[in-house]
Amino acid sequence: EDKVVQSPLSLVVHEGDTVTLNCSYEVTNFRSLLWYKQEKKAPTFLFMLTSSGIEKKSGRLSSILDKKELFSILNITATQTGDSAVYLCAVSLPRSNTGKLIFGQGTTLQVKP
Amino acid sequence: DAGVTQSPTHLIKTRGQQVTLRCSPKSGHDTVSWYQQALGQGPQFIFQYYEEEERQRGNFPDRFSGHQFPNYSSELNVNALLLGDSALYLCASSSLSEPQHFGDGTRLSIL
């Protein structure tokens, strides 16, 4: 059965800290891995990774994929209270960008002032 | 440019009733997917619609059904509601050139 596992499930840090969130997966017919940030409602898209070893960056956030070891990490540097959210990792199965997403259970990040 | 919009925001029903949730995709998107998110869990895939047809389906019973209209908007119908159907229902739209973008969801509570 296709599975996505995130760790840790929750994390409490102080502003300025650097955090690393982990996502491992076991799926057949892997297409891509996506990261989303969910605050109150809609998950908002962060990154989509399809190739191993190529880091994607957006401001203080970065992510990388290892297709051999079947995992991805999401790094957040110089954390701010606005980074507090649930971070969701999802794997997309074939049919390009429109394939169904299999989500992990999420990592809840709390950043204290 | 409006993103994905869902209605209603909140809904309270009783066991055995039926419910219809609505979704308008982001402009330029032609594929709509529905997910159920229980408290403290990641979203679970229900089904996906493309060209007005159900293209993929997750492990949900036949009580869950849907529809896509010619303008790409979509509905999710749930019959014979159970307490366990209480959840946040998320709609996501996408296209060949863009990954799935989510709406704010409908919070469904079953009493």
Side-chain angles (χ1 to χ4, degrees):
Chain A
E1 183 182 343
D2 296 329
K3 187 168 61 173
V4 176
V5 177
Q6 294 185 242
S7 65
L9 292 181
S10 64
L11 195 54
V12 180
V13 300
H14 288 91
E15 274 192 314
D17 288 349
T18 293
V19 298
T20 297
L21 309 183
N22 304 294
C23 175
S24 63
Y25 60 92
E26 294 177 28
V27 300
T28 54
N29 298 317
F30 171 90
R31 170 75 188 185
S32 59
L33 186 143
L34 297 90
W35 285 96
Y36 289 86
K37 176 184 181 182
Q38 186 174 29
E39 295 177 81
K40 296 288 187 185
K41 298 177 179 177
T44 54
F45 173 78
L46 295 175
F47 298 111
M48 183 168 72
L49 304 151
T50 55
S51 302
S52 275
I54 299 176
E55 185 183 52
K56 293 228 174 171
K57 286 190 66 118
S58 177
R60 297 176 293 103
L61 277 66
S62 63
S63 184
I64 196 161
L65 174 67
D66 185 328
K67 291 169 74 172
K68 182 179 177 185
E69 300 297 329
L70 309 183
F71 79 90
S72 173
I73 60 172
L74 175 68
N75 282 317
I76 308 175
T77 59
T79 51
Q80 302 171 356
T81 55
D83 295 327
S84 296
V86 175
Y87 289 84
L88 294 165
C89 170
V91 171
S92 172
L93 303 187
R95 291 186 189 275
S96 67
N97 294 329
T98 63
K100 79 174 191 180
L101 298 178
I102 300 173
F103 282 87
Q105 65 271 57
T107 293
T108 301
L109 173 65
Q110 182 184 0
V111 181
K112 291 187 172 182
Chain B
D1 179 23
V4 181
T5 58
Q6 291 187 244
S7 64
T9 305
H10 294 92
L11 205 49
I12 299 175
K13 292 285 188 178
T14 57
R15 282 178 295 175
Q17 284 190 310
Q18 177 263 340
V19 68
T20 297
L21 311 182
R22 295 176 175 82
C23 172
S24 292
K26 182 181 176 184
S27 177
H29 287 184
D30 56 9
T31 303
V32 173
S33 303
W34 287 92
Y35 294 82
Q36 180 194 67
Q37 187 176 25
L39 206 59
Q41 301 295 318
Q44 297 290 314
F45 176 77
I46 303 175
F47 44 51
Q48 183 180 84
Y49 278 85
Y50 174 71
E51 292 189 339
E52 302 180 50
E53 290 192 0
E54 183 182 290
R55 183 162 69 175
Q56 290 182 283
R57 188 176 183 94
N59 294 325
F60 280 80
D62 292 344
R63 298 186 297 109
F64 290 76
S65 63
H67 190 76
Q68 186 179 34
F69 299 94
N71 67 352
Y72 307 118
S73 66
S74 177
E75 289 181 349
L76 164 66
N77 300 295
V78 188
N79 295 323
L81 287 166
L82 304 173
L83 292 178
D85 295 332
S86 295
L88 179 67
Y89 288 84
L90 293 164
C91 169
S93 71
S94 55
S95 68
L96 284 178
S97 59
E98 284 199 1
Q100 293 184 33
H101 286 74
F102 286 83
D104 281 345
T106 294
R107 173 72 62 188
L108 176 63
S109 299
I110 310 301
L111 303 179

